[in-house]
Amino acid sequence: MTQVDEQLIQDVVTKVLEHVQSGWGGRVAPTVGKSAAAPVSAASAAPTTAGNRFGQFTNVDEAVAAAKAAQAALMRRSLAQRQIACDLIGKICINQADELGRLEYEETRIGHPPHKPDKLVLAARIAMGADSIRTECFSGDHGITLEEHAPWGVIGVITPVTHSLPTLANNAMNMIAAGNSLVCNPHPSGKRIAAHGAKLFNQAIYEKLGIDNLICVITEPTLESANQIFTHRDVSLLAITGGMGVVRAAMRSGKRAICAGPGNPPVVVDASADLDNAARCIIEGASYDNNLLCISEKEVFVEASIFEPMMAAMAKAGAFQLTTQQMDQLARICIETGGEGSHPHAKTEFVGAEPQTLARQIGVSVPPSCRLLFGQTDQRHPFVQAEQMMPVLPFVKCDSFEKAVECAKQAEHGFGHTAVIHSRLVDHMTYMGKEMNTTIYVKNGPSLAGDSAGGEGYGSYSIACSTGEGLTTPTTYTRIRRCTMVDNLRII
Ligand code: NAD
């Protein structure tokens, strides 16, 4: 190859990179009106700070101030640069999934280690990009009106221990795509992996775009630091993922809160179902990461006429059957009865435990290949009523399909989260869907399919069932602003 050819190729590569980084191709960024500042390219922008914090803060005021400066800098950049920031987060989740997944498990000690890298890859793949945000338009005799989705500014974020870094990464991608920055108070038992991940994300964004601290993490999170975020005047919106306690606390703050609260997803299996498929799907969903996911199957209601064949199908598909007495015994060890007005709940030390560890508590030995324990219980059983987050699934025999749906509705406790049916009858699917009124409703698949893993559509690590936004996307983290041009610009 000659010198000229190499130079030519180099010039083309430089132009393409400029185009990707600036979002303006070879052109100068357009002047936005007379007084508005034009977006700046990554190359010409002054860095927001010395780039030495990378989102690590112990003090909430300092974190919010840094996130505020970072968000202001982001607003001066093109949409293409926002997307670059999101892609950098996604790439780190995918390329470093093994290492980050291992670190997450070593810190939290919950769930199934081989699933930890998968969850990070998923967090990156299911996020929608900046281009998913749509502008609505009204055009008529009196001109044109646009409704655009603007960022809120700094978002206060709470993440759960069950998926500390995947939730932070997925939230950050959605929030930055919409032009926001965030300050996260992670669960204390997942704080190190959250801080480490945020450091990697901020470093990569700073190196590429010169903006530090888009993702700030309180490295020593407490309930007090959470409350400081909830009430901080420069935090415009709260995004909560966790149990009912934190959802209630955020809602009391007086700020708008998008809350991805708890679930207790029931499954109904009717007499028409393909039992082998139902068993495979239930095992896949309920055993994933040892049942830590909020969408995972938590209890099963089966029509009486197929109850015994369904139990046989579960055993055939590899789940380990406990007797009713063993289910009672295990519940006494692993589940605490709720106080006045609250449901029973899992004891922390058994959340996300392996089935072998759980079986050992009652002197039962199960093969290493087994991913799920199951057994018959009644409707009031603690394993039915609690969001157990462990791979033990109660099966309840119901006199009729309608009774099974009634039991499922009671067990879901009105969280409005997720429900699953296995049936070949469309009228049963429709009936249950109407009765349950959940955010996610999966037919003839594992619960995971409702969050895009094996089903169609996008996904999210924060399913805002408590406040109704559904599976969160970049648009969820925007506020609508209207721009009206009177009597003009309609070109028809
Ligand atoms: P958790 O409620 O114990 O903690 C969640 C977060 O809230 C943590 O960061 C914790 O430190 C904080 N927190 C708890 N009480 C608080 C309070 N009073 N004030 C301020 N902060 C508080 O839950 P977890 O064990 O970490 O996670 C599991 C729960 O989260 C389950 O109930 C699960 O269903 C739910 N979850 C829901 C979704 C969803 O998308 N809907 C996703 C993941 C987890």
Side-chain angles (χ1 to χ4, degrees):
M1 189 181 284
T2 67
Q3 191 64 34
V4 173
D5 284 342
E6 277 178 16
Q7 187 58 49
L8 194 66
I9 290 168
Q10 188 57 44
D11 288 350
V12 171
V13 169
T14 310
K15 281 228 159 60
V16 170
L17 283 177
E18 261 174 21
H19 177 82
V20 170
Q21 286 187 9
S22 71
W24 303 110
R27 291 175 296 121
V28 173
T31 305
V32 192
K34 277 188 182 155
S35 53
V40 287
S41 73
S44 64
T48 46
T49 64
N52 55 9
R53 295 300 293 258
F54 298 127
Q56 314 291 298
F57 292 89
T58 49
N59 178 292
V60 169
D61 285 334
E62 284 179 22
V64 174
K68 192 176 172 185
Q71 198 267 335
L74 186 67
M75 287 307 287
R76 292 193 291 273
R77 304 302 182 84
S78 61
L79 292 175
Q81 289 179 66
R82 275 192 209 173
Q83 191 55 51
I84 287 172
C86 299
D87 291 345
L88 288 167
I89 297 170
K91 266 190 204 134
I92 290 168
C93 290
I94 293 168
N95 295 344
Q96 301 185 37
D98 287 342
E99 164 75 356
L100 294 173
R102 182 180 61 75
L103 290 175
E104 171 125 8
Y105 180 74
E106 280 176 7
E107 182 181 6
T108 61
R109 291 275 157 204
I110 56 174
H112 188 52
H115 290 155
K116 300 298 178 189
D118 287 3
K119 285 170 64 179
L120 279 157
V121 172
L122 197 68
R125 295 231 162 103
I126 62 180
M128 295 177 86
D131 60 1
S132 66
I133 300 173
R134 296 268 165 250
T135 298
E136 285 86 45
C137 179
F138 305 84
S139 171
D141 291 341
H142 288 297
I144 296 263
T145 289
L146 300 180
E147 284 193 342
E148 298 203 281
H149 291 260
W152 282 84
V154 179
I155 303 181
V157 172
I158 299 284
T159 49
V161 68
T162 44
H163 355 278
S164 182
L165 187 55
T167 308
L168 179 63
N170 186 252
N171 279 356
M173 289 174 79
N174 282 336
M175 291 168 184
I176 293 171
N180 302 286
S181 63
L182 53 143
V183 174
C184 174
N185 205 61
H187 192 289
S189 303
K191 65 182 178 186
R192 286 202 303 277
I193 184 63
H196 177 63
K199 190 174 193 175
L200 297 178
F201 302 154
N202 284 310
Q203 266 171 340
I205 295 169
Y206 183 75
E207 275 163 25
K208 196 80 175 170
L209 303 178
I211 305 179
D212 191 12
N213 301 321
L214 278 174
I215 306 144
C216 295
V217 170
I218 304 302
T219 53
E220 293 301 333
T222 58
L223 286 185
E224 197 192 342
S225 58
N227 280 320
Q228 284 173 346
I229 292 174
F230 289 173
T231 52
H232 200 291
R233 58 181 297 181
D234 287 332
V235 171
S236 322
L237 177 72
L238 301 176
I240 309 297
T241 308
M244 218 25 142
V246 66
V247 167
R248 289 203 185 102
M251 284 178 158
R252 277 195 302 269
S253 72
K255 281 193 203 304
R256 168 139 197 254
I258 293 165
C259 296
N264 194 32
V267 183
V268 166
V269 185
D270 79 7
S272 75
D274 174 338
L275 301 189
D276 288 329
N277 181 60
R280 277 193 305 271
C281 293
I282 290 169
I283 294 172
E284 186 183 336
S287 69
Y288 190 75
D289 206 18
N290 289 341
N291 202 274
L292 284 185
L293 269 63
C294 56
I295 53 169
S296 291
E297 291 82 349
K298 300 280 190 295
E299 59 277 331
V300 186
F301 302 98
V302 185
E303 264 193 85
S305 62
I306 49 137
F307 189 80
E308 274 72 29
M310 183 64 215
M311 299 299 261
M314 287 295 291
K316 191 174 121 199
F320 188 94
Q321 186 164 5
L322 299 178
T323 64
T324 298
Q325 291 72 24
Q326 287 168 332
M327 290 292 280
D328 294 346
Q329 210 185 338
L330 193 55
R332 279 195 294 275
I333 295 170
C334 300
I335 308 280
E336 279 173 329
T337 48
E340 184 66 26
S342 65
H343 311 296
H345 55 268
K347 286 191 190 165
T348 313
E349 64 264 42
F350 297 109
V351 167
E354 296 288 351
Q356 290 73 15
T357 310
L358 295 167
R360 255 198 315 278
Q361 307 303 313
I362 51 169
V364 173
S365 170
V366 301
S369 59
C370 165
R371 300 292 331 129
L372 186 72
L373 309 175
F374 74 107
Q376 184 173 3
T377 70
D378 62 23
Q379 160 73 7
R380 304 305 315 171
H381 198 272
F383 273 128
V384 173
Q385 299 300 321
E387 186 193 16
Q388 71 269 41
M389 292 186 284
M390 56 188 94
V392 184
L393 209 55
F395 278 65
V396 180
K397 191 193 273 192
C398 301
D399 291 342
S400 66
F401 167 71
E402 288 74 13
K403 183 70 189 168
V405 174
E406 187 188 318
C407 291
K409 196 171 169 180
Q410 185 283 325
E412 213 270 330
H413 302 313
F415 291 139
H417 199 297
T418 296
V420 180
I421 187 172
H422 290 276
S423 170
R424 288 190 175 101
L425 301 175
V426 172
D427 54 346
H428 277 191
M429 295 177 195
T430 309
Y431 175 84
M432 180 167 164
K434 287 188 179 185
E435 285 294 304
M436 295 304 300
N437 198 19
T438 48
T439 304
I440 295 178
Y441 178 41
V442 178
K443 275 89 43 194
N444 298 327
S447 56
L448 304 165
D451 200 7
S452 93
E456 291 300 329
Y458 64 91
S460 174
Y461 267 77
S462 295
I463 299 156
C465 53
S466 314
T467 45
E469 293 82 0
L471 284 80
T472 53
T473 68
T475 306
T476 311
Y477 303 108
T478 60
R479 45 190 277 272
I480 296 173
R481 295 180 56 199
R482 180 175 274 219
C483 188
T484 300
M485 174 63 152
V486 181
D487 293 343
N488 224 321
L489 267 187
R490 181 179 154 90
I491 57 167
I492 311 300

